[in-house]
Amino acid sequence: MKVGVVRETFPGETRVALVPDIVAELAKRDFDVVIEAEAGGQAGYADEAYAAKGARVVATREEVFEAADILAQVRMAGANPEGCEADFALLREGQIVVGAAEPLDRPDLIERLARTKANAFGLELIPRTTRAQAMDILSSMATVAGYRAVLWAAERLPRFFPMFMTAAGTVAPAKVFIMGAGVAGLQAVATAKRLGAVVSAYDIRPAVKEEVQSLGGKFIEMELESGAGEGGYAKAMDEEFYRRQRELMTKVVAGSDVVITTAAVPGKKAPILVTEEMVAGMGAGSVIVDLAAEHGGNCALTKADETVVAHGVTILGPTNVPATLSVHASQMYSKNMFNFLVNMLSKDRERKNEFDLEQEDDILAGTWMTKAGAVVHPDIRRALGVEATSGPATETAKMAETPATQTPEKVQGVQN
Ligand code: NAD
């Protein structure tokens, strides 16, 4: 099997889908890699490094698409809205394409992708199971984001993070409050703690209390119902819940030098956890880093990719944070990708180096977005307003026959 890697075209994207060490790992499994020249350049991986590990470096994107059975990308479809059309024109029937695709934010682009008749797999859809953990790009990239957020906060804060007892007096440690203690939040707790801050955290899912404590953070208890949803994710709560939560958190926020917010609810706009009044209650010079900026932000004043200063508080709303740590973000992404590709191989010993997309596998079924011209993932179909099926295994022939050019309403009409 030939795996193709192209240069990422999303503005500001520095990551590459496969790093040279993984090319060597793939070679051991009988995969050849063909890579576009300069694809790893922005992550510090030179063409020579790929060639040394056995990859064939080619001059153009077209050559990669032409040669590859399977394309490994960091961003495709909804994760690269402006640039994806050019790739759709190069994809061919039956070709496999794997990457982040923001399928629930941009189901329209998945429908467009379906028309290429490629088999597309969206890595954000990986189920949250122990077996899938090694392929989970959301976790690995959240680790990067949580770490980076703390460094940005420390850089902007006009105070030290650690406590100092010096001849010039004693310096009190910074107080850092993390809202949302998922993967990014826990990494933020750990990083802020390493820098010497006094760290507290809160999450809607009470189960994370012990994890926060094990990292040396204090878990803030609030008299609120649990927001634990399916698959380890938080569920969406009603506005009354969020109002009460903001009320309870106002004092904690006011007493913090740094607030890092990471609260997300899959497929939904991020909840507002920090209002303008709460910002106004913080001390001058305080910093908020809003890691939910890509999905609307957890702070009412956040502007994506901008630095806002309001009431003396600096509010950062970075997006695509992993691209700022391109070497390790690429390395981690690449390992997730490798594990995903290996999982696509047949589990039959006789055919162990062959791809088997039809095998019974919850990870394949859970991430499979398009097949034979149709959108097959039930959640994406639902987002398109088309009735859900239970996944590729039971995909209806009807959907495959339905031209993907039709609007969701029309498709619905055909199905009824
Ligand atoms: P996420 O990025 O979806 O959300 C970040 C955090 O924000 C979550 O912890 C969520 O509970 C929290 N949150 C949502 N609304 C909130 C609110 N109103 N107030 C405060 N906090 C709020 O989550 P994530 O980081 O991807 O991880 C969620 C959970 O899933 C974690 O327990 C993680 O360990 C688990 N997980 C499991 C696997 C696996 O088993 N393969 C993989 C990844 C994550």
Side-chain angles (χ1 to χ4, degrees), residues 158-232:
R159 297 167 165 271
F160 284 115
F161 260 40
M163 186 176 100
F164 282 132
M165 291 164 95
T166 77
T170 300
V171 168
K175 292 194 205 73
V176 175
F177 180 41
I178 316 288
M179 290 169 137
V183 181
L186 289 173
Q187 185 53 238
V189 170
T191 306
K193 196 70 200 163
R194 278 183 219 119
L195 283 178
V198 171
V199 187
S200 53
Y202 167 72
D203 197 287
I204 200 172
R205 298 176 300 113
V208 300
K209 177 179 173 179
E210 277 175 29
E211 293 172 75
V212 170
Q213 288 172 338
S214 73
L215 293 167
K218 180 179 169 208
F219 189 76
I220 305 284
E221 310 259 6
M222 291 190 197
E223 280 179 20
L224 285 168
E225 68 176 287
S226 161
E230 279 173 26

Side-chain angles (χ1 to χ4, degrees), residues 110-170:
I110 306 303
E111 194 181 40
R112 172 67 195 90
L113 170 59
R115 278 186 249 154
T116 66
K117 299 202 169 111
N119 290 299
F121 292 84
L123 291 181
E124 299 99 329
L125 298 167
I126 294 234
R128 304 213 127 181
T129 57
T130 307
R131 192 170 75 88
Q133 231 158 3
M135 310 170 203
D136 187 355
I137 60 159
L138 293 185
S139 289
S140 60
M141 297 303 110
T143 300
V144 176
Y147 168 82
R148 177 55 98 194
V150 173
L151 298 192
W152 276 327
E155 195 180 280
R156 294 297 181 125
L157 191 72
R159 297 167 165 271
F160 284 115
F161 260 40
M163 186 176 100
F164 282 132
M165 291 164 95
T166 77
T170 300

Side-chain angles (χ1 to χ4, degrees), residues 106-399:
R106 293 299 305 269
D108 55 315
L109 288 177
I110 306 303
E111 194 181 40
R112 172 67 195 90
L113 170 59
R115 278 186 249 154
T116 66
K117 299 202 169 111
N119 290 299
F121 292 84
L123 291 181
E124 299 99 329
L125 298 167
I126 294 234
R128 304 213 127 181
T129 57
T130 307
R131 192 170 75 88
Q133 231 158 3
M135 310 170 203
D136 187 355
I137 60 159
L138 293 185
S139 289
S140 60
M141 297 303 110
T143 300
V144 176
Y147 168 82
R148 177 55 98 194
V150 173
L151 298 192
W152 276 327
E155 195 180 280
R156 294 297 181 125
L157 191 72
R159 297 167 165 271
F160 284 115
F161 260 40
M163 186 176 100
F164 282 132
M165 291 164 95
T166 77
T170 300
V171 168
K175 292 194 205 73
V176 175
F177 180 41
I178 316 288
M179 290 169 137
V183 181
L186 289 173
Q187 185 53 238
V189 170
T191 306
K193 196 70 200 163
R194 278 183 219 119
L195 283 178
V198 171
V199 187
S200 53
Y202 167 72
D203 197 287
I204 200 172
R205 298 176 300 113
V208 300
K209 177 179 173 179
E210 277 175 29
E211 293 172 75
V212 170
Q213 288 172 338
S214 73
L215 293 167
K218 180 179 169 208
F219 189 76
I220 305 284
E221 310 259 6
M222 291 190 197
E223 280 179 20
L224 285 168
E225 68 176 287
S226 161
E230 279 173 26
Y233 284 113
K235 62 183 179 205
M237 308 301 278
D238 61 18
E239 196 32 51
E240 173 56 21
F241 175 94
Y242 291 127
R243 192 197 57 73
R244 175 98 181 105
Q245 185 182 24
R246 289 194 288 265
E247 197 177 285
L248 292 170
M249 275 192 305
T250 297
K251 232 174 107 190
V252 186
V253 170
S256 304
D257 300 304
V258 169
V259 171
I260 294 174
T261 66
T262 77
V265 179
K268 298 245 161 24
K269 192 181 166 299
I272 294 289
L273 307 182
V274 182
T275 59
E276 176 156 10
E277 289 82 347
M278 290 161 86
V279 173
M282 294 179 79
S286 304
V287 179
I288 298 175
V289 182
D290 191 343
L291 286 181
E294 217 151 339
H295 292 101
N298 290 140
C299 173
L301 302 180
T302 296
K303 290 211 172 93
D305 284 327
E306 284 184 32
T307 299
V308 174
V309 180
H311 308 285
V313 177
T314 302
I315 304 155
L316 309 183
T319 64
N320 201 8
V321 182
T324 68
L325 265 155
S326 56
V327 173
H328 281 141
S330 299
Q331 189 183 306
M332 293 166 98
Y333 187 96
S334 181
K335 189 72 184 179
N336 294 147
M337 179 66 83
F338 170 77
N339 290 326
F340 189 82
L341 296 182
V342 168
N343 185 58
M344 278 181 163
L345 294 173
S346 171
K347 308 288 184 287
D348 178 347
R349 277 170 170 265
E350 306 283 296
R351 301 168 51 219
K352 68 179 175 22
N353 287 343
E354 286 172 33
F355 262 33
D356 181 3
L357 299 187
E358 301 298 336
Q359 61 186 301
E360 283 257 329
D361 185 277
D362 63 321
I363 298 172
L364 279 180
T367 51
W368 204 333
M369 302 189 300
T370 72
K371 174 186 184 180
V375 174
V376 290
H377 194 284
D379 294 348
I380 308 173
R381 289 172 66 96
R382 225 171 273 125
L384 285 166
V386 183
E387 83 188 45
T389 62
S390 55
T394 56
E395 178 207 357
T396 58
K398 258 188 200 166
M399 181 67 186

Side-chain angles (χ1 to χ4, degrees), residues 78-102:
N80 186 15
E82 306 288 316
C84 64
E85 198 61 44
D87 287 352
F88 293 165
L90 297 172
L91 276 171
R92 62 173 181 268
E93 185 168 355
Q95 208 166 19
I96 300 169
V97 55
V98 182
E102 301 272 353

